[in-house]
Amino acid sequence: MESVDCAVIGAGVVGLAIARTLSAAGREVVILEAENAFGTHTSARNSEVIHAGISYAPGSLKGRLCVAGKAALYDYCAERGIGHRRIGKLIVAVQEADLPELHKYVELGTAQGVTDLRIIGAAEARALEPEVACAGALLSPSTGIVDSHGLMLAYLGDAERHGAALALSSPVLAGQPTPDGIVLKVGGTEPTELLCGTVINAAGLGAQRVATAIAGMPADKVPPLYHAIGHYFTLGRPSPFQRLVYPTGRAGALRAHVTLDLGGQCKFGPDLDWRDGVDYRFDASREAAFYHAVRRYYPGLRDGDLQPGYTGIRPRLAGPGSSMHNSATDFIVQDEREHGIPGLLNLFGIESPGLSASLAIGGYVGQRVAALMP
């Protein structure tokens, strides 16, 4: 049986960031990825936004790691030449009745240490984004966009330079804790067993399945998994926007954000629906709802402008009716102090802002691992 100091399960942006941190600290690392390429699920099917950290409950892991990760990510991308732009974001109050929501974002952001937010009037918002119709807006200058694939390539390159190895098509089927470590049963074309001193379960949409496959894992420590699917429609002509545009949240309303990629392509989304599993089929019947939602703040949207784009699925820990401000939707990072299995760390619910927070998550997990080392 082969042995390794540390196995990271999952080669999404968070798993790769963790592998980068652990290998740089001198740990022997193997990254086990069930798919035949890295970053094929949540890490590849998102908005590629660098979030400012203004939408999360005060004191939450999401908030703390997003703010720290955002600053680290901008520095890292600049240093490594990874495509990114700090383009800013407008959160728009479409009606006068929505204006109080802007102050709530300021309060949340201030509680996280985000100090560059500014509420502006309708005229200034229109000067910044002439196509936007609103009663006022919140300007978030530190929001940006990033090339997520380029970022993952850089994380993987860093990890490999420190000796880490990536094993693709290597699903983890089971795990057995022993006095010498955790024995992982790895499937694929060349099935094997691997004795690991430390196991980091960063499997994203598969994290609950992996945790349940570890013998002795308490069932009450594995949170429920809700597959939250979001659709993106693309704009079939050049973008009229220079910044991201988000409408304020309204109970029961579709929030179809404006997001931009580094090539200038404008897309609207995601919406929020629920699937029973990992099912990326695009529901074109949602088009009418998108037209209605987008025209609330972008009345210049013409019939025929929207084109079906893609879908992404978030590993949510709370289902329909939950709020991103709810502590039940926070990131969960568990070690043996929570579940009783030495050497095992589980990451659950690593959805947005996981990309923005990835470097901070890597550092946080590295600290947790170091604290548990004999």
Side-chain angles (χ1 to χ4, degrees), residues 29-166:
V29 176
V30 63
I31 310 162
L32 301 172
E33 169 54 49
E35 304 293 345
N36 61 7
F38 64 83
T40 60
H41 288 287
T42 308
S43 298
R45 293 171 168 269
N46 58 69
S47 302
E48 295 189 305
V49 171
I50 302 176
H51 291 285
I54 61 176
S55 298
Y56 315 109
S60 64
L61 267 183
K62 278 187 177 181
R64 289 192 286 121
L65 295 178
C66 181
V67 173
K70 170 190 67 176
L73 189 56
Y74 277 124
D75 289 344
Y76 182 81
C77 289
E79 175 187 326
R80 299 298 302 275
I82 298 162
H84 72 290
R85 288 175 57 205
R86 193 186 304 245
I87 59 176
K89 174 172 73 175
L90 286 181
I91 299 179
V92 298
V94 179
Q95 309 174 76
E96 294 281 341
D98 299 326
L99 288 172
E101 291 293 318
L102 302 181
H103 295 277
K104 292 181 182 179
Y105 283 106
V106 173
E107 292 171 5
L108 286 169
T110 301
Q112 305 289 2
V114 181
T115 59
D116 59 355
L117 304 173
R118 188 164 61 89
I119 293 178
I120 60 178
E124 187 174 354
R126 195 167 184 86
L128 293 174
E129 293 292 347
E131 294 291 328
V132 170
C134 66
L138 174 68
L139 177 62
S140 172
S142 65
T143 302
I145 54 177
V146 65
D147 173 6
S148 59
H149 186 76
L151 181 65
M152 287 188 282
L153 276 174
Y155 287 169
L156 177 59
D158 288 347
E160 289 179 334
R161 277 189 290 276
H162 287 106
L166 172 63

Side-chain angles (χ1 to χ4, degrees), residues 8 79 135 219 276 319 365:
V8 176
E79 175 187 326
D276 291 332
V365 170

Side-chain angles (χ1 to χ4, degrees), residues 18 74 115 196 198 203 220 249 268 296 330 348 353:
I18 292 169
Y74 277 124
T115 59
C196 312
T198 302
D220 63 348
F268 300 96
R296 293 183 63 246
D330 198 10
F348 296 119

Side-chain angles (χ1 to χ4, degrees), residues 250-308:
R250 298 174 65 213
L254 166 60
R255 294 181 70 205
H257 309 160
V258 170
T259 59
L260 304 171
D261 64 24
L262 290 166
Q265 171 71 60
C266 174
K267 54 197 173 187
F268 300 96
D271 59 353
L272 177 62
D273 200 9
W274 306 93
R275 295 273 166 97
D276 291 332
V278 180
D279 176 1
Y280 293 118
R281 286 177 297 173
F282 195 97
D283 181 1
S285 71
R286 304 186 77 82
E287 179 180 292
F290 267 77
Y291 272 108
H292 176 73
V294 172
R295 281 171 171 156
R296 293 183 63 246
Y297 64 86
Y298 174 33
L301 184 68
R302 306 183 301 233
D303 288 347
D305 274 349
L306 294 183
Q307 307 295 324

